[in-house]
């Protein structure tokens, strides 16, 4: 049996390189710390690893930044299956510390290999099809990566079939351009991201993410100052769901939202082929109401993105256009397909601006929590999943148990996994667009 405090086990860890031929250098007993970062806006994982060396291994192999580290990590219980099975490129040695006459520690930066390969091969090629199909084709043919499309609301995005010519971008740069253009019918953005739980890339849209249940719905994370202070004396089940640290940060930066045109903006597209101009007024109010009407956001919930009662010079904040977007495009370049920018109606053109508004809204309500990693590993939760958080109310003279402002289901946006000694901790950046009228219990 694993020790009571043991939260994970390194099943296997070894270093390889092309110049080693088929030799594997086992380092599972030498790893002091592993850090892995996931990001909803990144199609690759990054991280770092600290390895101790008391036999002169690294002096012998002469590190060149072309070595690979394969990690297999499982739960602490005996005979547990590997939950994490990933290979990283150790592309930089950032620090070496001489501990004593016979021992040193080496701090390496690491990245998933497909990101390194992508940087090597800018290319130009024409593609025809839906934007998500083009993304899949690029990743499969150029990087040999499979894309999981099960995180999409519909089989095809709102932009439909397009012809796109990659103008000598790297594969991942080309995919980033396409992802930025792709939306659902409500303007919600798409995300291309990587997870610690498999070796595919995932393409998902915000609508699908927001309607899924929280992975920890039955046993939510809870922040209570009293419980946090007593965390060392809690039973294992309670300790695994206790938030050890929470940072509410600055939940809303209204000036940045104004400068990004979130509250209200005006979009004009001039088609030089036809001489027609398309004009649209877009507001965050209409975007959120549309998402509620279609039950992407809870219709009974209260939006938490902006102050809808704010008045400037006797006008509602969304009545202003803080940005005037103007774009010039040319339609009918190809007889059977639209181009990257081509659209045919105000509703289609407005999706570009709605995409930007929703992305900015997501970034405006970020909080950070630190929790034990066991629930994430067992549930195979990752960025793009929803996480339930209960924050106990600090109001005096009230019967409310939870703080309605902060309690709710959050979208996991970024994670930092730290495996060190016996502990696995996750620093998790999360966001939500609304607060519930009644706290979740």
């Amino acid at each position: 049996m694993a020790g009571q405090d043991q939260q994970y086990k390194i099943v296997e860890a070894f270093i390889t390189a092309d110049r080693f031929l088929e030799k594997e250098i086992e380092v599972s007993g030498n790893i002091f710390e592993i850090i892995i970062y996931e990001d909803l806006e990144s199609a690759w994982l990054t991280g770092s690893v600290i390895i101790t060396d008391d036999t002169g291994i690294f002096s012998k192999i002469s590190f060149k930044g072309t070595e690979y580290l394969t990690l297999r990590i499982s739960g602490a219980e005996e005979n547990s299956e590997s939950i994490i099975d990933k290979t990283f490129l150790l592309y930089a040695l950032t620090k070496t510390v001489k501990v004593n006459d016979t021992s040193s520690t080496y701090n390496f930066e690491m990245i998933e290999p497909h990101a390194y390969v992508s940087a090597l091969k800018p290319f130009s090629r024409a593609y025809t099809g839906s934007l998500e199909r083009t993304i899949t084709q690029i990743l499969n043919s150029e990087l040999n990566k499979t894309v999981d499309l099960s995180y999409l609301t519909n089989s095809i995005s709102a932009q439909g079939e397009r012809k796109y010519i990659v103008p000598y971008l790297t594969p991942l740069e080309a995919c980033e351009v396409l992802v930025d253009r792709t939306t659902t019918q409500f303007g919600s953005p798409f995300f291309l991201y990587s997870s610690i739980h498999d070796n595919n890339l995932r393409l998902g849209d915000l609508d699908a993410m927001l309607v899924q249940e929280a992975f920890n719905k039955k046993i939510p994370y809870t922040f209570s100052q009293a419980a946090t202070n007593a965390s060392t004396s809690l039973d294992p089940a309670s300790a695994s769901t206790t938030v050890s640290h929470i940072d509410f940060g600055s939940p809303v930066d209204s000036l940045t939202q104004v400068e990004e045109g979130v509250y209200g903006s005006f979009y004009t597209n001039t088609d030089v082929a036809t001489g027609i101009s398309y004009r649209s007024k877009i507001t965050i109010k209409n975007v959120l109401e549309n998402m509620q009407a279609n039950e992407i956001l809870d219709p009974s919930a209260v939006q938490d993105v902006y102050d809808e009662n704010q008045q400037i010079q006797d006008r509602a904040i969304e009545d202003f256009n803080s940005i005037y977007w103007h774009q010039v495009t040319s339609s009918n370049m190809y007889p059977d397909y639209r181009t990257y920018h081509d659209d045919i109606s105000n509703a289609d053109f407005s999706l570009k601006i709605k995409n930007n508004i929703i992305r900015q809204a997501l970034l405006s309500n970020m909080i950070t929590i630190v929790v034990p990693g066991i629930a994430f590993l067992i549930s195979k939760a990752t960025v793009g999943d929803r996480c339930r958080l209960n924050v106990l109310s600090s109001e005096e003279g009230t019967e409310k148990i939870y703080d309605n402002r902060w309690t709710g289901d959050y979208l996991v946006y970024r994670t930092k996994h730290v495996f060190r000694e016996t502990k696995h901790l996750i620093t998790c950046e999360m966001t939500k667009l609304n607060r519930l009228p009644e706290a979740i219990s």
Side-chain angles (χ1 to χ4, degrees):
M1 293 289 290
Q4 184 176 0
D5 293 334
Q6 188 75 30
Q7 297 179 350
Y8 70 96
K9 180 171 60 178
I10 299 177
V11 178
E12 196 172 23
F14 57 86
I15 295 174
T16 59
D18 292 340
R19 68 181 186 279
F20 297 169
L21 301 179
E22 296 183 358
K23 184 179 179 181
E24 297 176 352
I25 299 175
E26 175 64 35
V27 293
S28 58
N30 301 78
I31 291 180
F32 177 71
E33 178 186 77
I34 302 168
I35 298 177
I36 302 175
Y37 296 94
E38 299 173 295
D39 191 328
L40 192 56
E41 296 190 32
S42 176
W44 59 90
L45 304 180
T46 60
S48 63
V49 60
I50 298 176
I51 303 176
T52 61
D53 180 13
D54 54 9
T55 61
I57 295 174
F58 291 110
S59 296
K60 295 175 184 176
I61 68 174
S62 182
F63 177 77
K64 298 183 183 301
T66 57
E67 293 80 7
Y68 296 92
L69 172 66
T70 297
L71 292 170
R72 296 189 176 101
I73 299 174
S74 74
E77 294 300 319
E78 202 69 35
N79 300 320
S80 295
E81 293 184 2
S82 294
I83 299 174
I84 299 174
D85 188 346
K86 304 289 287 189
T87 296
F88 294 91
L89 176 71
L90 302 177
Y91 68 92
L93 173 60
T94 56
K95 190 175 184 180
T96 303
V97 177
K98 191 76 173 175
V99 178
N100 52 45
D101 290 343
T102 61
S103 180
S104 300
T105 62
Y106 296 82
N107 192 336
F108 298 95
E109 294 294 311
M110 59 188 190
I111 193 170
E112 284 195 280
H114 66 270
Y116 187 88
V117 174
S118 176
L120 287 169
K121 47 187 305 187
F123 74 110
S124 180
R125 187 171 298 127
Y127 292 88
T128 300
S130 67
L131 298 182
E132 56 270 36
R133 180 185 174 190
T134 299
I135 292 168
T136 300
Q137 289 177 327
I138 291 173
L139 293 172
N140 185 259
S141 63
E142 300 297 327
L143 300 179
N144 197 28
K145 297 296 291 185
T146 301
V147 182
D148 186 346
L149 301 177
S150 63
Y151 300 87
L152 297 179
T153 304
N154 297 311
S155 59
I156 190 167
S157 61
Q159 284 64 43
E161 303 274 317
R162 302 270 168 163
K163 189 175 183 69
Y164 176 64
I165 301 175
V166 180
Y168 281 102
L169 301 174
T170 69
L172 289 176
E173 286 173 341
C175 289
E176 183 178 355
V177 170
L178 292 167
V179 169
D180 285 345
R181 182 69 175 90
T182 313
T183 71
T184 67
Q185 60 180 317
F186 307 114
S188 296
F190 277 50
F191 298 95
L192 179 67
Y193 57 102
S194 184
S195 167
I196 64 170
H197 296 297
D198 56 49
N199 289 303
N200 303 319
L201 294 181
R202 303 184 182 191
L203 183 63
D205 66 71
L206 183 64
D207 293 351
M209 295 173 186
L210 292 181
V211 298
Q212 66 183 327
E213 288 190 342
F215 76 86
N216 61 337
K217 177 181 177 181
K218 294 182 180 179
I219 310 177
Y221 288 116
T222 300
F223 177 74
S224 161
Q225 193 62 58
T228 299
N229 293 340
S231 60
T232 55
S233 61
L234 293 174
D235 63 87
S238 298
S240 68
T241 61
T242 297
V243 178
S244 61
H245 175 78
I246 191 165
D247 182 3
F248 299 113
S250 178
V252 176
D253 179 347
S254 62
L255 179 58
T256 297
Q257 289 185 331
V258 168
E259 293 172 340
E260 292 291 336
V262 172
Y263 300 147
S265 55
F266 198 88
Y267 176 78
T268 302
N269 182 280
T270 300
D271 186 340
V272 296
T274 64
I276 298 174
S277 289
Y278 296 90
R279 298 177 177 87
S280 296
K281 161 78 173 179
I282 303 107
T283 69
I284 184 62
K285 180 179 181 180
N286 290 338
V287 169
L288 294 176
E289 287 177 347
N290 196 26
M291 294 176 76
Q292 286 186 314
N294 289 278
E295 298 186 345
I296 297 164
L297 296 177
D298 185 346
S300 66
V302 180
Q303 69 85 12
D304 207 21
V305 177
Y306 76 107
D307 181 0
E308 56 192 19
N309 295 315
Q310 184 181 15
Q311 296 282 316
I312 303 293
Q313 297 178 344
D314 299 323
R315 295 166 61 189
I317 188 69
E318 65 268 19
D319 289 344
F320 291 86
N321 296 317
S322 58
I323 289 185
Y324 284 83
W325 307 90
H326 191 191
Q327 192 169 28
V328 178
T329 60
S330 180
S331 63
N332 301 319
M333 290 185 64
Y334 306 104
D336 299 321
Y337 296 99
R338 286 183 281 171
T339 61
Y340 178 86
H341 288 292
D342 197 10
D343 278 311
I344 57 175
S345 70
N346 279 341
D348 289 339
F349 280 115
S350 69
L351 295 178
K352 299 177 183 180
I353 309 306
K354 290 179 180 179
N355 184 354
N356 177 68
I357 287 175
I358 294 172
R359 286 180 181 272
Q360 292 299 323
L362 288 173
L363 297 176
S364 71
N365 275 326
M366 288 284 187
I367 70 165
T368 302
I369 62 173
V370 178
V371 294
I374 184 170
F376 270 79
L377 287 189
I378 292 175
S379 304
K380 293 194 173 182
T382 184
V383 291
D385 289 331
R386 290 221 292 172
C387 175
R388 180 160 294 185
L389 173 67
N390 289 341
V391 178
L392 296 189
S393 175
S394 58
E395 290 185 37
E396 297 182 359
T398 178
E399 297 182 355
K400 287 199 310 181
I401 300 176
Y402 299 119
D403 186 326
N404 290 12
R405 171 67 179 87
W406 300 110
T407 293
D409 289 346
Y410 287 79
L411 178 69
V412 180
Y413 213 86
R414 298 184 184 94
T415 65
K416 174 185 177 183
H417 295 259
V418 178
F419 301 88
R420 184 173 183 177
E421 297 177 339
T422 63
K423 303 296 184 184
H424 171 210
L425 294 178
I426 298 179
T427 301
C428 184
E429 290 183 56
M430 312 189 299
T431 184
K432 63 186 178 78
L433 297 178
N434 54 23
R435 68 173 77 181
L436 297 181
E438 297 295 334
I440 300 172
S441 59

